[in-house]
């Protein structure tokens, strides 16, 4: 029963045996060993790796939390506190998970802004960008669902406010809301299904992340100059160059996140969520998690409920079209003297929107939110498509290696 | 470029801190032993704080998330905890005859609540519900300072202010009216260890106890945190050297 001689690609016979039947050894060699990265990539290119690591940490810590959590309105709050008090290192698991979510968003925001600034969404990486926006959407849904689980005041009222948005949709709105909640108000049925969905969605995210990574490896990573790889001299191999660079980024990130987890684990949490949910007492200000606040600001900036909901979802949906809204052939903002500043202003504006999203929607805050809303959409619908009518991009270097010729001499 | 990264991270980081802390500026800040990266609880203060809770607060406020066995953490011996628990009665059962029965509490029981249920609590307090104190310092902004100031914040109301019936004037309460009568006065509690029992001292001891109750892991957490951060710094430094060596030939 011996077939043709199996190829002896590696020294280790076990590797050869596996490789012949499932070529994952050569796959990993190709994609994570010899994979060429532009050598001018800066540390902003480490945030994809950081995000992947956090996703794994979130899934692992989440599984252990789920083993000790009880998704019932009468017991959820106490079961979370039981994790914090009586489960071995339960406080660590929970603080890693809750702060990990916040840091996941910090990392993802930097990752997205990097993609926008250096034009990573443009040809031929459009699909990659779209997959990324899907991941972002899934993350928002997952974090919202997870925020409900401790069943504190903010959990309950946040879920109430957000699910109420669906009732703004004409005709089917009320029915849709009831269908989502499994009840007429947020209750035990809601908590149960939110828990089930919160458990499963991260695995969906993981799948889309795999596609996202596979897609970027087809044409290779973008780089700060935004120009294509011309020769082997423009690149370094992933192993060991990028691995060590990413590892350094992970250590720096580890210091930052540990500082919060161990010395200020509740700094980014709303204090009201340590009060058990009470449907009879409405908190003075119902605020979302800060990382969803920019969209909450957009929602409240519009006086009409349906209009607010449409603009809020529109603000996310418009991201999908960015590769086609941007008409310029130049990728990197480093070579776009005007768009660069509008891009910077977009970042600042997004941040300001987040800030006012956490404040009561009245007076000056409301005015700022409205101005921010106008700039948000103006940036995508007016500045991005039409700026190359007046903008003269700087001359691009002939190749990535050429950048260093000028610098070192 | 590294500076830019650090800056952007800091930007995100600090802005959140400000967002979380912004409205507590006016609260006078007390000095606490559990603050800072090496903060710990003073065992004496914790035990005195428990005495204050049991003599002053526990008449109305429950601490449902705590067990009597937790008191071993604050320096009581097992026998002392058994003695403390046995002063309380819990309803257990059903027994073999199907009857519920009363028995003395054991260390494995949760702190016995002063009222059978929320409705009884409200009925006995003019309709105001005395909140559970298990995680109260986490449930308020700048919790420790807030509770401390609130306990000492009872003053005579200004002449032009009408305080509602059954309400008391307190400068740190939102709206300045609170349903809880002033709980702590000088000499409210007699300390066995001879510690000065001024109202300030009693309030401080109680807040230390409540902070421990809300974050019993605080000392372990901070201790582990120093080690984890040191690990990342040392590992990061080694990787930094290796990375520089590796990349020197690239540029």
């Amino acid at each position: 029963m011996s077939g043709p001689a199996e190829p002896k690609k590696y020294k280790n016979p076990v590797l050869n045996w596996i490789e012949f039947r499932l070529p994952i050894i050569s796959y990993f060699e190709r994609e994570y060993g010899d994979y060429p990265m532009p050598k001018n990539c800066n540390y902003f290119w480490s945030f994809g790796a950081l995000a992947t690591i956090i996703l794994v940490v979130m899934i692992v810590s989440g599984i252990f939390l789920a083993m000790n959590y009880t998704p019932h309105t009468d017991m959820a709050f106490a079961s979370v506190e039981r994790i914090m008090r009586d489960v071995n290192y339960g406080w660590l698991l929970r603080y890693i998970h809750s702060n990990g979510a916040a840091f996941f968003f910090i990392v993802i925001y930097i990752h997205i802004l990097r993609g926008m600034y250096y034009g990573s969404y443009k040809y031929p990486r459009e699909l990659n960008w779209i997959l990324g926006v899907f991941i972002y959407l899934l993350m928002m849904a997952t974090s919202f669902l997870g925020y409900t689980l401790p069943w504190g005041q903010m959990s309950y009222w946040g879920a109430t406010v957000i699910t109420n948005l669906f009732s703004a949709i004409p005709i089917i709105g009320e029915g849709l809301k009831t269908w989502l909640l499994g009840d007429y108000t947020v209750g035990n049925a809601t908590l149960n299904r939110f828990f089930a969905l919160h458990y499963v969605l991260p695995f969906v995210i993981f799948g889309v992340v795999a596609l996202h990574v596979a897609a970027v490896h087809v044409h290779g990573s973008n780089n700060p100059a935004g120009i294509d790889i011309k020769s082997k001299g423009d690149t370094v191999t992933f192993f060991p160059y990028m691995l060590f660079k990413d590892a350094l980024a992970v250590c720096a990130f580890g210091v930052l996140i540990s500082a919060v987890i161990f010395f200020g684990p509740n700094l980014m949490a709303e204090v009201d969520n340590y009060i058990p949910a009470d449907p009879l007492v409405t908190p003075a200000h119902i605020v979302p998690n800060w990382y969803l606040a920019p969209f909450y600001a957009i929602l409240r900036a519009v006086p009409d409920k349906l209009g607010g909901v449409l603009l809020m979802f529109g603000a996310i949906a418009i991201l999908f079209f960015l590769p086609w809204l941007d008409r310029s052939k130049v990728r990197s903002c480093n070579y776009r003297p005007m768009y660069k500043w509008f891009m910077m202003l977009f970042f600042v504006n997004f941040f300001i929107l987040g800030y006012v999203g956490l404040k009561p929607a009245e007076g000056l805050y409301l005015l700022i939110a409205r101005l921010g809303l106008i700039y948000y959409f103006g940036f995508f619908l007016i500045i991005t498509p039409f700026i190359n009518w007046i903008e003269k991009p700087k001359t691009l270097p002939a190749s990535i290696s050429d950048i260093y010729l000028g610098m070192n001499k | 470029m590294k500076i830019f990264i650090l800056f952007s991270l800091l930007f995100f980081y600090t802005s959140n801190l400000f967002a979380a802390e912004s409205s507590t500026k006016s609260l006078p800040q007390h000095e606490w032993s559990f603050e800072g990266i090496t903060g710990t609880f003073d065992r004496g203060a914790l035990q005195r704080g428990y005495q204050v809770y049991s003599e002053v607060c526990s008449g109305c406020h429950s601490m449902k998330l705590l067990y009597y066995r937790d008191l071993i953490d604050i320096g009581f011996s097992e026998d002392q905890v058994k003695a403390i628990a046995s002063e309380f009665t819990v309803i257990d059962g059903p027994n073999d005859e199907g009857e519920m029965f009363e028995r003395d509490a054991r260390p494995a029981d949760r702190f016995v609540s002063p009222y059978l249920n929320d409705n009884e609590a409200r009925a006995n307090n003019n309709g105001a519900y005395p909140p559970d104190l298990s995680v109260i310092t986490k449930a308020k902004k700048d919790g420790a300072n807030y509770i401390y100031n609130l306990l000492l914040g009872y003053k005579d109301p200004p002449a032009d202010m009408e305080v509602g019936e059954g309400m008391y004037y307190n400068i740190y309460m939102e709206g300045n009216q609170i349903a809880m009568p002033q709980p702590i006065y000088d000499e409210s509690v007699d300390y066995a260890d001879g510690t000065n029992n001024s109202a300030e001292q009693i309030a401080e001891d109680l807040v230390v106890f409540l902070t421990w109750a809300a974050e019993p892991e605080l000392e372990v957490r901070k201790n582990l945190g120093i080690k984890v951060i040191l690990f990342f710094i040392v590992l990061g430094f080694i990787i930094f050297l290796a990375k520089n060596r590796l990349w020197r030939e690239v540029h």
Side-chain angles (χ1 to χ4, degrees):
Chain A
M1 270 290 285
S2 73
E6 295 181 9
K8 299 261 185 291
K9 207 171 161 192
Y10 306 101
K11 274 186 194 145
N12 188 329
V14 178
L15 291 186
N16 280 324
W17 190 89
I18 296 172
E19 173 72 13
F20 184 62
R21 285 152 185 85
L22 181 69
I24 51 168
I25 314 290
S26 59
Y27 172 82
F28 274 97
E29 258 188 343
R30 195 169 62 245
E31 301 297 329
Y32 296 99
D34 306 331
Y35 175 73
M37 282 287 292
K39 65 181 186 184
N40 60 333
C41 283
N42 53 38
Y43 275 99
F44 282 114
W45 266 262
S46 293
F47 282 83
L50 277 182
T52 316
I53 291 170
I54 302 174
L55 176 61
V56 174
V57 170
M58 292 299 283
I59 289 179
V60 172
S61 59
I63 289 172
F64 282 102
L65 286 173
M67 290 176 188
N68 295 290
Y69 170 76
T70 312
H72 187 285
T73 50
D74 293 340
M75 289 178 263
F77 186 89
S79 80
V80 171
E81 277 297 325
R82 198 188 80 82
I83 290 172
M84 305 271 289
R85 291 156 185 276
D86 289 334
V87 174
N88 288 332
Y89 287 97
W91 58 268
L92 183 57
L93 281 174
R94 193 201 166 211
Y95 282 149
I96 284 176
H97 202 74
S98 62
N99 288 298
F103 273 91
F104 201 178
F105 274 92
I106 293 175
V107 166
I108 277 305
Y109 278 129
I110 295 175
H111 190 63
I112 294 174
L113 299 186
R114 190 270 290 159
M116 289 177 73
Y117 184 87
Y118 294 113
S120 303
Y121 50 84
K122 290 186 195 181
Y123 175 88
R125 301 184 184 86
E126 299 97 325
L127 186 58
N128 204 56
W129 169 263
I130 289 172
L131 288 167
V133 179
F134 267 118
I135 295 171
Y136 177 47
L137 261 177
L138 285 167
M139 277 177 63
M140 289 200 279
T142 309
S143 74
F144 161 70
L145 296 168
Y147 196 50
T148 315
L149 304 185
W151 209 244
Q153 274 289 67
M154 230 23 112
S155 299
Y156 178 86
W157 289 99
T160 302
V161 168
I162 300 297
T163 50
N164 243 324
L165 298 180
F166 291 94
S167 67
I169 302 167
I171 306 169
I172 60 160
E174 279 299 333
L176 181 65
K177 187 187 127 188
T178 312
W179 180 73
L180 285 171
L181 292 180
D183 200 340
Y184 296 106
T185 55
V186 175
N188 200 46
T190 317
L191 181 60
N192 270 287
R193 59 186 56 194
F194 278 17
F195 176 57
L197 290 172
H198 181 73
Y199 199 101
V200 79
L201 278 185
F203 297 95
V204 178
I205 293 178
F206 197 83
V208 185
V209 166
L211 293 178
H212 187 69
V213 174
V216 78
H217 279 216
V218 173
H219 291 284
S221 295
N222 188 28
N223 61 78
I227 53 177
D228 291 328
I229 295 167
K230 300 271 164 47
S231 68
K232 210 160 179 279
D234 288 348
T235 63
V236 291
T237 50
F238 184 85
F239 181 85
Y241 295 95
M242 292 315 288
L243 185 75
F244 271 83
K245 206 169 170 175
D246 287 350
L248 183 54
V250 169
C251 287
F253 178 77
V255 172
L256 271 177
I257 194 172
S258 305
V260 176
I261 288 173
F262 292 102
F263 298 103
N266 291 312
L267 281 176
M268 287 193 266
E270 287 297 328
V271 288
D272 278 2
N273 230 23
Y274 278 110
I275 303 170
D278 186 348
L280 300 174
V281 182
T282 319
H285 299 296
I286 300 173
V287 290
N289 266 327
W290 62 264
Y291 37 83
L292 304 178
F295 300 104
Y296 195 57
I298 290 175
L299 170 77
R300 295 187 305 174
V302 187
D304 174 61
K305 189 176 173 188
L306 179 61
V309 172
L310 287 177
L311 278 189
M312 183 178 79
F313 285 112
I316 302 164
I318 203 166
L319 293 171
F320 284 110
F321 300 98
L322 180 58
W324 295 277
L325 289 170
D326 189 347
R327 313 297 301 165
S328 170
K329 289 269 177 279
V330 178
R331 289 198 191 104
S332 170
C333 276
N334 281 353
Y335 298 92
R336 302 185 65 182
M338 288 170 77
Y339 192 56
K340 174 185 187 166
W341 295 110
F342 284 111
M343 185 67 88
M344 296 281 198
L345 186 59
F346 176 79
F347 300 165
V348 173
N349 181 59
F350 190 71
F351 193 83
I352 292 174
L353 273 176
Y355 179 76
V356 295
L358 294 173
K359 297 284 169 191
E362 57 203 19
L364 188 61
Y365 291 129
L366 190 58
L367 181 70
I368 294 173
R370 285 179 175 158
L371 291 174
L373 165 71
I374 291 168
Y375 184 74
Y376 186 97
F377 283 97
F379 174 81
F380 283 116
L381 295 174
I382 298 166
I383 296 167
T384 303
F386 299 114
I387 194 166
N388 57 332
W389 290 5
I390 47 170
E391 185 184 52
K392 287 260 176 297
K394 291 194 227 165
T395 333
L396 294 170
S399 75
I400 292 171
S401 298
D402 278 9
I403 303 169
Y404 293 97
L405 291 179
M407 255 168 53
N408 290 345
K409 302 272 147 67
Chain B
M1 188 43 73
K2 277 173 209 161
I3 293 168
F4 188 47
I5 290 209
L6 268 180
F7 175 77
S8 48
L9 274 175
L10 268 180
F11 186 52
F12 267 97
Y13 180 37
T14 50
S15 54
N16 297 318
L17 304 193
F18 286 128
E21 299 281 317
S22 58
S23 59
T24 57
K25 288 276 187 291
S26 59
L27 217 50
Q29 300 289 301
H30 188 75
E31 220 171 272
W32 302 103
S33 69
F34 49 79
E35 284 175 336
I37 58 167
T38 54
T40 50
F41 296 115
D42 173 43
R43 288 293 175 277
L46 281 175
Q47 294 185 14
R48 291 196 298 275
Y50 173 70
Q51 188 190 343
V52 180
Y53 168 72
S54 57
E55 288 180 20
V56 180
C57 320
S58 65
C60 303
H61 291 277
S62 60
M63 286 186 95
K64 288 178 194 163
L65 297 175
L66 272 78
Y67 295 87
Y68 290 109
R69 61 171 158 79
D70 292 333
L71 293 174
I72 293 171
D73 278 6
I74 66 174
F76 288 111
S77 69
E78 246 171 85
D79 289 335
Q80 280 174 307
V81 171
K82 269 183 196 155
I84 290 170
S86 65
E87 288 165 24
F88 298 88
T89 309
V90 293
I91 297 167
D92 202 348
N95 62 12
D96 294 345
E97 281 78 46
E99 306 285 333
M100 301 302 280
F101 59 93
E102 289 189 346
R103 63 162 171 83
D104 289 348
R106 293 188 287 250
D109 284 314
R110 288 179 184 274
F111 276 25
V112 173
S113 300
Y115 303 109
L116 285 172
N117 49 53
D118 292 3
N119 289 0
E120 196 196 17
R122 277 181 207 284
N124 280 289
N125 290 283
N126 276 331
Y129 176 66
D132 185 89
L133 297 183
S134 310
V135 289
I136 197 76
T137 59
K138 285 197 288 191
K140 297 282 176 192
K141 271 183 186 160
D142 196 9
N145 286 309
Y146 172 77
I147 305 287
Y148 179 77
N149 286 305
L150 187 81
L151 289 170
L152 301 173
Y154 288 85
K155 299 273 183 311
D156 291 328
D160 58 341
M161 184 171 168
E162 185 102 8
V163 178
E165 202 183 322
M167 301 294 276
Y168 304 88
Y169 182 76
N170 189 307
I171 52 175
Y172 292 107
M173 184 71 186
E174 203 172 340
N176 292 346
Q177 295 196 53
I178 186 167
M180 173 173 71
Q182 179 170 351
I184 289 173
Y185 297 88
D186 286 335
E187 297 168 18
S188 289
V189 178
D190 279 322
Y191 287 137
D193 62 0
T195 307
N196 160 35
N197 56 357
S198 65
E200 284 81 11
Q201 181 66 40
I202 294 171
E204 182 182 316
D205 291 341
L206 177 64
V207 169
V208 173
F209 172 73
L210 292 177
T211 306
W212 166 81
E215 300 173 81
E217 87 295 345
L218 183 140
E219 291 173 343
V220 182
R221 168 159 58 78
K222 292 187 171 183
N223 193 299
L224 185 61
I226 293 171
K227 291 173 192 159
V228 171
I229 288 177
L230 275 178
F231 167 78
F232 277 121
I233 289 175
V234 171
L235 182 69
F237 183 70
I238 295 167
I239 292 176
F240 173 72
L241 292 179
K243 184 251 162 197
N244 273 2
R245 176 84 183 272
L246 196 62
W247 278 75
R248 206 162 45 196
E249 66 216 64
V250 175
H251 294 310

